[in-house]
Amino acid sequence: MSTLKIAIQKSGRLNEDSIQILKDCGISINNGIDQLKAEASNFPLEVLYLRNSDIPQYLIDGVVDIAIVGDNLLVEKGKGIQVVQKLGFSKCKVSVAVPKAFEYKSIKDLEGMRIATSYPNTVIEYFNSFGVNVDIHQISGSVEIAPNIGLADAIVDIVSSGSTLFKNNLKEVEIIYKSEAVLAVSPKVTPDVQKLIDTLKFRIESVLRARRSKYILMNVPNDKIEEVGKILPVLRSLTVLPLAQEGWSSVHSVIDKDTFWDVIDQLKEAGAEGILICPIEKMVL
């Protein structure tokens, strides 16, 4: 039987979120301290814990079948690698930042300047698109200190909260692109492995759909059910159950967690009472 080999970052927040989504998919990983490889006990899957920057090459070479990786690395090192699912966590930006005292007006202001970055290919492509020539200084870590020590005039790096830029007296002036964790697939997977990928992808989609949704149930006068139904973004149709009190029903549905406060206000105005919101563990369509 085939085994699906998945690469994830060996440490950090992306590692934690990657392990969590696999667990939410019902996959138990026999994970020991400082292991570089681990197997799942209830799914034909093997996890390889790798340095993040190495993962695109492992996908290209077919050493791993799939990976959970930031798509910023695929833009930099993995052009042509297929992304089959955006995962919605480890969100960040790849941005241009300059010292706060720099009077920045446009990207043209950086003509001929020194740019420190861990993403040289991304920087070249971005600045070339504006016809701006820059001198790239490729460094592997602590990019944000480069202007302070005189190594560079500006930087291109990943930005999450912006606190690191602030601490180093830098300001974000351009966003090259927004990044998040994705499920990426090697171009060398076999048909048998592809079936396992499809199974895992189905589970991940169910988990992500549940994370974006809430289960809602409420008491509604029977003459208001049609109005309530127009408010709720139902999957197929409302679930309506008669209550012991004549003229009332219990109405059940699913709503998007990002908009449910607005929906709740509309439901109350439509006559709904006793509204309950519950988390959803999995949502299979």
Side-chain angles (χ1 to χ4, degrees), residues 70-267:
D71 61 357
N72 56 299
L73 282 174
L74 299 183
V75 171
E76 175 65 23
K77 295 184 174 183
K79 289 288 180 66
I81 292 176
Q82 183 185 11
V83 172
V84 296
Q85 183 70 58
K86 292 186 175 183
L87 301 176
F89 55 80
S90 295
K91 293 185 177 182
C92 63
K93 299 171 287 185
V94 177
S95 301
V96 181
V98 300
K100 289 180 180 178
F102 190 102
E103 295 183 5
Y104 183 89
K105 295 179 181 178
S106 76
I107 198 72
K108 300 288 186 180
D109 293 337
L110 298 178
E111 174 69 37
M113 292 195 174
R114 300 167 298 166
I115 309 295
T117 187
S118 301
Y119 302 92
N121 295 327
T122 300
V123 172
I124 290 171
E125 184 174 338
Y126 181 73
F127 280 90
N128 283 349
S129 70
F130 291 96
V132 175
N133 296 308
V134 293
D135 181 14
I136 296 175
H137 288 246
Q138 183 177 353
I139 52 181
S140 58
S142 301
V143 174
E144 63 278 353
I145 70 170
N148 290 332
I149 62 176
L151 180 64
D153 303 298
I155 70 168
V156 171
D157 201 16
I158 56 173
V159 176
S160 296
S161 65
S163 61
T164 303
L165 293 183
F166 180 81
K167 291 175 183 177
N168 287 276
N169 204 34
L170 299 173
K171 60 183 179 182
E172 181 184 69
V173 293
E174 300 284 348
I175 298 174
I176 297 179
Y177 60 85
K178 295 180 180 180
S179 174
E180 65 181 280
V182 298
L183 186 68
V185 178
S186 168
K188 297 185 178 181
V189 295
T190 64
D192 286 344
V193 168
Q194 184 60 53
K195 291 180 181 179
L196 294 174
I197 293 173
D198 293 341
T199 299
L200 178 61
K201 182 173 178 287
F202 175 80
R203 293 191 186 189
I204 289 175
E205 288 172 346
S206 299
V207 169
L208 295 178
R209 195 178 296 115
R211 289 182 180 181
R212 294 192 298 265
S213 305
K214 297 288 185 182
Y215 189 75
I216 182 171
L217 56 158
M218 71 210 81
N219 299 329
V220 179
N222 289 342
D223 61 355
K224 297 290 186 179
I225 290 175
E226 184 176 353
E227 183 178 350
V228 165
K230 294 177 180 178
I231 297 170
L232 289 169
V234 296
L235 298 176
R236 187 179 296 274
S237 66
L238 295 175
T239 298
V240 180
L241 303 172
L243 294 178
Q245 183 177 347
E246 188 175 349
W248 285 76
S249 294
S250 177
V251 176
H252 300 217
S253 187
V254 172
I255 60 175
D256 189 292
K257 72 172 187 177
D258 293 330
T259 61
F260 84 81
W261 283 117
D262 292 334
V263 173
I264 295 300
D265 291 338
Q266 295 176 55
L267 291 171

